[in-house]
Amino acid sequence: DDSVQLRIMTFNVWLGGQQVNIGRVFDAIRAADADIVLLQEPEGQTRAFAATRGYPYASERHHIMSRYPLFDPTTADADFAFAELRPGRFVAVGDIHLTSDPYGPYAVRDGKTAEEVLKIETDTRLPEIGPYITVLPPLATAGVPVFIGGDFNAPSHLDWTGAMVTARPQVRFPLEWPVSKALADAGFRDSY
């Protein structure tokens, strides 16, 4: 097959873009020139955002704007869509917005131990990512490219290392953040 270049953007527009200059939100989307935009906090405006920016396809359910047709899977426990890049050629795209509170880095800031922070993460966000880890890796194994983006409300385990403890005072101890670690263990690669 010929390869397809695909640009995917994830963007938390912060309460429907009303907390910031909405024109700047649209400018950022235009500047990214993404084929698929995963929105967090669109506040029911996904279709309006898509129309304003010239995206012909939008999913209010998944908060996705796309230049490619979007389809819901027939059965899935995870919230994702298929985008058809060419006839019969699909990618799976999951748009995630995990619970924000309690926020692990604030717990670190406020003096919680690593064990206490890990309990917060394991009780709060790890169960939310579980369905994606169950449903999406088999698609990748079957040859469907799979992308997950969004607002995870948790740092990456790749960032909170021993080296970072000496570089940044707010990183008080190394921490293997469970959500990003679970995704990595399931075969996903961090894009940055």
Side-chain angles (χ1 to χ4, degrees), residues 102 113-127 175 177-178:
T113 66
E115 294 75 22
E116 291 170 315
V117 174
L118 286 174
K119 179 158 179 31
I120 289 169
E121 296 300 310
T122 316
D123 291 350
T124 307
R125 280 167 279 285
L126 194 57
L175 196 63
W177 293 91

Side-chain angles (χ1 to χ4, degrees), residues 1-6 8 36 80-86 88-94 135-148 187-189:
D1 285 339
D2 293 334
S3 64
V4 175
Q5 183 175 347
L6 182 66
I8 299 175
I36 299 172
F80 73 97
F82 288 109
E84 188 174 30
L85 307 184
R86 291 189 182 144
R89 185 143 185 213
F90 295 87
V91 297
V93 190
V135 171
L136 295 176
L139 289 174
T141 300
V144 176
V146 175
F147 301 91
I148 297 177
F188 291 97
R189 289 187 314 237

Side-chain angles (χ1 to χ4, degrees), residues 19-38:
Q19 300 298 314
V20 295
N21 179 323
I22 194 69
R24 299 286 309 269
V25 170
F26 293 146
D27 290 345
I29 292 170
R30 181 179 46 253
D33 193 30
D35 300 303
I36 299 172
V37 180
L38 312 175

